[in-house]
Amino acid sequence: MKKLTLIAVLIHLVSIAFAQSTKAPAFPLVTHDPYFSIWSNVDELNSAPTKHWTGADHALMGHLKVDGQVYRFMGNKPVAYKNILPAGDDENFTCKYTESTPPANWMTETFDASQWQTGVGPFGNKEGLSKTMWLTRYIWMIREFNLENTNLNEPLMKMKFDDDISVFLNGTLIYESGCCASGFRIIPLTNEMKSLLKKGRNVFAIHVVNTGGGAELDFGFAEKVIPQETSGIKAAQQKSVVMNATQTIYQFACGSVKLQLTFTSPLLIDELDILARPVSYISASVQSNDGKSHAVQLEVSASTNIATNTGSEEVVASKYKANQLTILKAGTVEQPILKKKGDDVRIDWGYLHLAAKDGSNVKQAINTTSEPFQSTATDQLQGKKLTLSTTVDMGTIGTTAKEQVLLLGYDDLYSVQYFGTNLLPWWKQSSSNSIEQQLALAATDYAAIIKKCERINKMIYNDAFKAGGDSYAKLCELAYRQSIAAHKLVKSPQGELLFLSKENFSNGSINTVDVTYPSAPLFLIYNPELLKGMLNGIFYYSESGKWTKPFAAHDLGTYPLANGQTYGEDMPVEECGNMLILTAAICRAEGKTDYAKKHWSTLTTWAEYLNKEGFDPANQLCTDDFAGHLARNTNLSAKAIVGLESYGWLAKQMGDATSYAKYDLIAKGFVTKWMEMANDGDHYALTFDKKGTWSQKYNLVWDKVMKFNYFPREVFSTEVKYYLTRQNEFGLPLDSRATYTKSDWIIWTSVLTNNRKDFEQFVLPVYAFAQRTPSRVPISDWHETKSGKMVGFQARSVVGGYYMKVLEEKFKNK
């Protein structure tokens, strides 16, 4: 009986080591940084084009020819649009506009706008993106067009706007929306809207109000064109997909041949030189599935749109050989290095590379079409929306598997601008390094790197499984590549490591402190140097005298320009608390206080600020700024208290008994006062002055994880018990003001529990969201708890916060 039990345990442990996720809102394929980031947002890889995380098509296509029959296993032709009025992503259109209040009939088709200004779209206040600068509160635009036939095929409007928009068609209001659409919003015309169209002249009249911050208006009108499958091409049958920390693996049947397609982005969190190398592997392994031999050819292609912002830019592509590789290279003709900033922006400088080991069986081509197996003799081509294709004759395939590895890389030339200095990517620190060298190293080291990835895959899953079980471990797997690839690794002019986040699908800020804060657990566990790289720039900003306020900055700018805070409002309590807590956590993780000593004067200034302003916060924003301003926020107060606990703990570790005694007394007094003022019977309120409210007190988790133990455990158990009565199908709401939530904060809240059953009651609804959300994007951290739909935010680094339970386990022994 004991022997059988032991065998069962061993089988269970083996299954743990190799368990992998099979469902995701979106599957990561090529993930390196905020620009080089390609995903599949569908369950079947060949049912839709692959995407950049913003939703723009960054197409990878794959075909396998088996005994002359072609099977498409990756990507699909995108839905196309026939422009009636092009938007700014296709061409810089001209139109009439005004920023002065027009007559009441301005939106009618009979209005004469000839005296208005003529501008080039898109409009806005975004340097490098807006063709006509709009810096006032209001703008009115007229776009005219003529129709010979009103029977259009699925006509639609495509628009970007910031903030509030009203659209009129021939004098009738047809669309209104509040803030905002930073990416193109596609609005099909209803039958009622279509009835307003007429032969001859038609007029769209658009009004946008900028309520603050960014301003944008871009508008187009088109009809949908449904792509047709090329005759003779069949869709491969996808059998399965599994995902682990560093890989996404598909299985296909292509007639009588089995295909395993593996995407590996070797984000080795503990090996920075490999993590920073901008090269992913696409591996195709084929073998017969009927016992017979078959002639097989593989083709993988990449759209040059991957090297453009909108897809409308002119690109130049070339073919060459280097370091025993055959290489395709493409980039824009203009090469506007670091000229654009913002959220819904893709890289339009640097060069995409598709490479393979050179051989007589490998052919590469530059094409103007995405049709497969089209050979061209040219070594260079200029145009728009070109295709880079690599074809490999894999010979006769039998029951023994044969593998072909392709390399997809990106040389961004310069990665970010840091206080006026353009910084090279980490892998280019040596002047002798080149992208060709990086591709060659990736090719030569392939087998060794795959073994290292397997080590990371097992470590990530097993650590999370031991901490929180299978569903929790799969959430951590899902978060791994997304969190890391939302950053860029560079070195500052002062020689410090910088790991700079982009606040994806939010406002595009670079190195936002309250994005670093939730992301931190992943990096504290596996490489605190990367978390230092997320704090170093903020410390430098203050210590250089560039930021002179007595609290921490919110950000360093708008990605990729880190030249100083661009967010319109400070978050003083929020960011001071974050910086103090994370500095202490780094010291706990490293077992030494060197990092705190280096910045002690700055940390002292921030601790003094929290002592004065942190306990009962004034009306201000916190990290949950989407929920609006809030005065007397008890969760923000808890952050301030834990920030002061962190400072006192650091002082004690450094032997500063005086400072420790002072801040120990302050923290204890604040905790007692907090419990009295926030008490609302069976829970603690959202604010000190509003009873009958509640909120997740996720900031308290650091008191537990860091083992400060200032807050009595009864506070945690009281909150947990109350939270469990407020759960919805897809998780615990953020607070009593709305039913939406933040999944990272739910995981933090779950760590306040003292048993696995309660922990799982918080985690399982988040896992259900990840498995069943209708929002097919790189997982959103802001979703509705009743419907499972995303509210906003996607592809953000904050899912690194899912690792908080693993961090608690790590710190238990420190």
Side-chain angles (χ1 to χ4, degrees):
M1 184 69 181
K2 288 183 179 179
K3 185 179 290 185
L4 287 174
T5 302
L6 178 59
I7 290 171
V9 169
L10 290 172
I11 291 173
H12 177 61
L13 290 174
V14 170
S15 70
I16 291 172
F18 292 97
Q20 300 172 101
S21 302
T22 59
K23 286 279 290 180
F27 293 92
L29 306 179
V30 177
T31 50
H32 289 275
D33 60 44
Y35 288 140
F36 193 29
S37 181
I38 305 173
W39 300 70
S40 174
N41 293 354
V42 289
D43 291 326
E44 296 188 346
L45 181 62
N46 58 5
S47 66
T50 57
K51 306 277 188 180
H52 185 258
W53 65 260
T54 57
D57 287 349
H58 273 190
L60 300 175
M61 294 281 282
H63 295 85
L64 201 70
K65 187 185 288 186
V66 179
D67 299 329
Q69 174 62 58
V70 178
Y71 296 88
R72 177 175 43 78
F73 59 82
M74 175 166 59
N76 204 346
K77 292 182 179 179
V79 172
Y81 301 100
K82 179 182 177 182
N83 281 327
I84 299 169
L85 287 172
D89 61 330
D90 286 320
E91 66 179 67
N92 296 325
F93 61 87
T94 58
C95 65
K96 291 292 185 179
Y97 77 100
T98 184
E99 296 175 62
S100 301
T101 305
N105 67 335
W106 72 275
M107 77 290 293
T108 63
E109 68 268 37
T110 59
F111 177 72
D112 180 8
S114 61
Q115 299 305 306
W116 286 15
Q117 298 179 77
T118 300
V120 177
F123 294 74
N125 61 3
K126 300 179 179 180
E127 293 181 14
L129 294 173
S130 305
K131 296 302 179 182
T132 297
M133 296 304 290
W134 162 39
L135 304 177
T136 59
R137 181 175 175 84
Y138 302 106
I139 192 169
W140 291 261
M141 174 195 289
I142 298 291
R143 296 209 67 184
E144 301 180 8
F145 61 101
N146 288 289
L147 291 177
E148 295 182 3
N149 179 13
T150 61
N151 187 26
L152 301 175
N153 178 47
E154 296 189 50
L156 51 88
M157 300 177 288
K158 52 186 293 190
M159 62 186 82
K160 290 184 182 181
F161 53 90
D162 189 352
D163 292 286
D164 305 334
I165 192 169
S166 302
V167 180
F168 299 82
L169 174 56
N170 293 330
T172 300
L173 179 65
I174 60 170
Y175 183 77
E176 284 186 298
S177 178
C179 178
C180 306
S182 59
F184 276 108
R185 186 172 294 180
I186 304 299
I187 309 295
L189 263 63
T190 64
N191 289 333
E192 184 179 359
M193 293 177 189
K194 286 191 284 188
S195 69
L196 300 171
L197 295 170
K198 58 186 181 180
K199 290 184 179 181
R201 181 175 176 270
N202 293 263
V203 176
F204 278 111
I206 305 110
H207 176 43
V208 174
V209 181
N210 176 27
T211 59
E216 186 170 23
L217 172 55
D218 196 355
F219 184 91
F221 182 53
E223 61 177 327
K224 194 174 184 179
V225 179
I226 305 298
Q228 299 297 313
E229 181 70 272
T230 303
S231 176
I233 297 179
K234 295 182 179 180
Q237 183 183 4
Q238 183 175 309
K239 294 293 189 178
S240 66
V241 57
V242 294
M243 188 181 72
N244 53 48
T246 66
Q247 297 173 304
T248 302
I249 306 165
Y250 293 89
Q251 300 282 351
F252 294 94
C254 301
S256 299
V257 168
K258 180 168 62 176
L259 166 67
Q260 177 173 295
L261 185 71
T262 303
F263 295 88
T264 305
S265 292
L267 302 183
L268 306 183
I269 196 167
D270 53 1
E271 295 191 44
L272 296 187
D273 288 345
I274 296 176
L275 180 146
R277 182 183 295 161
V279 181
S280 276
Y281 300 103
I282 303 175
S283 161
S285 177
V286 293
Q287 66 182 119
S288 171
N289 61 21
D290 63 0
K292 299 177 182 179
S293 296
H294 302 279
V296 174
Q297 287 180 293
L298 168 74
E299 182 175 279
V300 171
S301 62
S303 169
T304 59
N305 282 10
I306 297 170
T308 69
N309 179 35
T310 67
S312 63
E313 296 92 334
E314 192 86 3
V315 298
V316 61
S318 58
K319 179 171 62 173
Y320 64 105
K321 295 182 180 182
N323 300 331
Q324 298 181 313
L325 299 175
T326 178
I327 304 171
L328 291 166
K329 171 183 176 181
T332 60
V333 173
E334 183 184 4
Q335 289 296 305
I337 297 174
L338 298 170
K339 296 299 184 185
K340 295 180 177 65
K341 63 180 181 178
D343 186 21
D344 186 22
V345 177
R346 289 144 298 278
I347 195 167
D348 57 0
W349 71 89
Y351 295 92
L352 172 70
H353 294 75
L354 178 61
K357 285 187 176 180
D358 192 20
S360 59
N361 65 327
V362 179
K363 306 295 181 185
Q364 292 193 305
I366 306 165
N367 296 308
T368 58
T369 173
S370 62
E371 297 300 325
F373 300 103
Q374 303 290 312
S375 61
T376 58
T378 181
D379 288 343
Q380 184 164 313
L381 188 63
Q382 185 170 322
K384 295 182 179 181
K385 301 182 179 179
L386 304 179
T387 299
L388 310 180
S389 298
T390 298
T391 303
V392 182
D393 187 347
M394 301 190 73
T396 301
I397 300 300
T399 55
T400 301
K402 185 180 290 188
E403 183 184 31
Q404 176 65 44
V405 178
L406 302 179
L407 309 168
L408 195 68
Y410 204 99
D411 180 1
D412 59 3
L413 305 180
Y414 288 95
S415 299
V416 299
Q417 188 175 94
Y418 184 72
F419 296 103
T421 301
N422 292 351
L423 300 185
L424 294 164
W426 180 270
W427 61 269
K428 259 188 187 177
Q429 296 306 311
S430 170
S431 59
S432 63
N433 285 348
S434 66
I435 189 63
E436 290 81 10
Q437 181 193 55
Q438 294 295 302
L439 290 165
L441 284 170
T444 301
D445 297 344
Y446 171 67
I449 288 176
I450 292 300
K451 287 184 179 179
K452 290 181 177 183
C453 287
E454 290 170 350
R455 172 185 62 82
I456 290 287
N457 298 339
K458 291 175 184 178
M459 177 182 71
I460 292 298
Y461 180 84
N462 290 343
D463 287 355
F465 180 87
K466 291 171 187 174
D470 180 65
S471 296
Y472 174 66
K474 288 175 178 175
L475 282 173
C476 289
E477 285 182 318
L478 185 62
Y480 183 82
R481 274 176 279 174
Q482 176 171 317
S483 186
I484 294 174
H487 298 83
K488 189 67 181 183
L489 184 64
V490 293
K491 184 176 285 187
S492 77
Q494 295 74 34
E496 289 190 314
L497 184 153
L498 298 174
F499 195 49
L500 302 175
S501 65
K502 180 175 182 180
E503 195 171 339
N504 289 344
F505 213 78
S506 178
N507 63 3
S509 290
I510 187 170
N511 206 196
T512 303
V513 178
D514 56 282
V515 168
T516 295
Y517 177 66
S519 308
L522 169 62
F523 304 100
L524 281 166
I525 298 162
Y526 298 112
N527 194 343
E529 288 299 321
L530 289 173
L531 182 55
K532 290 180 188 176
M534 297 152 80
L535 304 189
N536 286 340
I538 299 297
F539 278 122
Y540 171 77
Y541 195 16
S542 283
E543 292 165 0
S544 66
K546 300 177 190 298
W547 176 262
T548 59
K549 297 179 182 181
F551 46 80
H554 171 270
D555 61 78
L556 291 184
T558 302
Y559 199 93
L561 306 182
N563 294 323
Q565 180 172 312
T566 53
Y567 192 74
E569 187 171 342
D570 297 326
M571 297 185 188
V573 173
E574 173 71 36
E575 312 306 10
C576 285
N578 293 340
M579 292 296 291
L580 285 162
I581 291 168
L582 295 183
T583 300
I586 287 170
C587 294
R588 171 79 79 180
E590 293 189 324
K592 57 184 180 180
T593 58
D594 294 9
Y595 193 65
K597 288 177 182 176
K598 181 179 179 180
H599 302 292
W600 192 243
S601 177
T602 305
L603 293 168
T604 300
T605 298
W606 293 341
E608 289 172 351
Y609 182 87
L610 289 185
N611 182 28
K612 295 175 183 177
E613 306 290 345
F615 173 74
D616 194 352
N619 192 38
Q620 62 188 272
L621 294 174
C622 68
T623 185
D624 304 317
D625 52 353
F626 53 84
H629 292 76
L630 191 64
R632 314 197 73 189
N633 182 343
T634 57
N635 188 44
L636 185 58
S637 174
K639 176 172 287 184
I641 296 170
V642 179
L644 294 172
E645 295 173 9
S646 299
Y647 181 83
W649 178 82
L650 285 168
K652 184 178 182 180
Q653 304 309 308
M654 292 164 57
D656 183 351
T658 301
S659 294
Y660 167 67
K662 173 184 175 180
Y663 281 92
D664 175 65
L665 186 64
I666 290 170
K668 286 176 178 176
F670 280 169
V671 168
T672 301
K673 195 174 178 182
W674 187 95
M675 292 173 61
E676 294 171 354
M677 293 174 61
N679 188 4
D680 198 10
D682 59 354
H683 68 284
Y684 295 91
L686 168 68
T687 65
F688 287 128
D689 59 338
K690 293 180 181 177
K691 304 305 179 184
T693 62
W694 64 275
S695 64
Q696 291 189 48
K697 309 300 189 304
Y698 54 81
N699 287 317
L700 292 176
V701 73
W702 294 102
D703 182 88
K704 182 184 181 189
V705 169
M706 291 287 287
K707 298 186 285 189
F708 292 149
N709 300 324
Y710 281 81
F711 281 85
R713 302 302 93 162
E714 290 77 14
V715 172
F716 302 165
S717 60
T718 296
E719 286 289 274
V720 166
K721 183 177 180 181
Y722 185 80
Y723 296 153
L724 291 175
T725 70
R726 297 291 170 174
Q727 293 258 69
N728 289 324
E729 183 177 2
F730 296 105
L732 177 68
L734 180 66
D735 57 47
S736 53
R737 292 175 290 178
T739 57
Y740 57 60
T741 195
K742 291 278 276 86
S743 56
D744 47 346
W745 298 150
I746 291 180
I747 301 300
W748 288 27
T749 293
S750 73
V751 179
L752 296 178
T753 62
N754 59 15
N755 62 80
R756 177 63 69 87
K757 180 182 177 182
D758 286 349
F759 170 80
E760 289 182 343
Q761 287 193 70
F762 290 108
V763 170
L764 291 179
V766 177
Y767 181 68
F769 158 71
Q771 298 291 290
R772 294 161 48 196
T773 177
S775 303
R776 302 308 300 270
V777 298
I779 191 167
S780 170
D781 54 287
W782 181 19
H783 71 268
E784 271 291 343
T785 59
K786 291 186 175 180
S787 68
K789 293 181 180 179
M790 67 175 285
V791 180
F793 306 158
Q794 65 195 47
R796 301 209 310 163
S797 66
V798 302
V799 293
Y802 290 0
Y803 286 77
M804 182 59 86
K805 186 65 175 175
V806 184
L807 181 66
E808 181 189 33
E809 293 301 310
K810 176 177 180 175
F811 278 4
K812 276 183 178 179
N813 298 319
K814 276 189 175 289

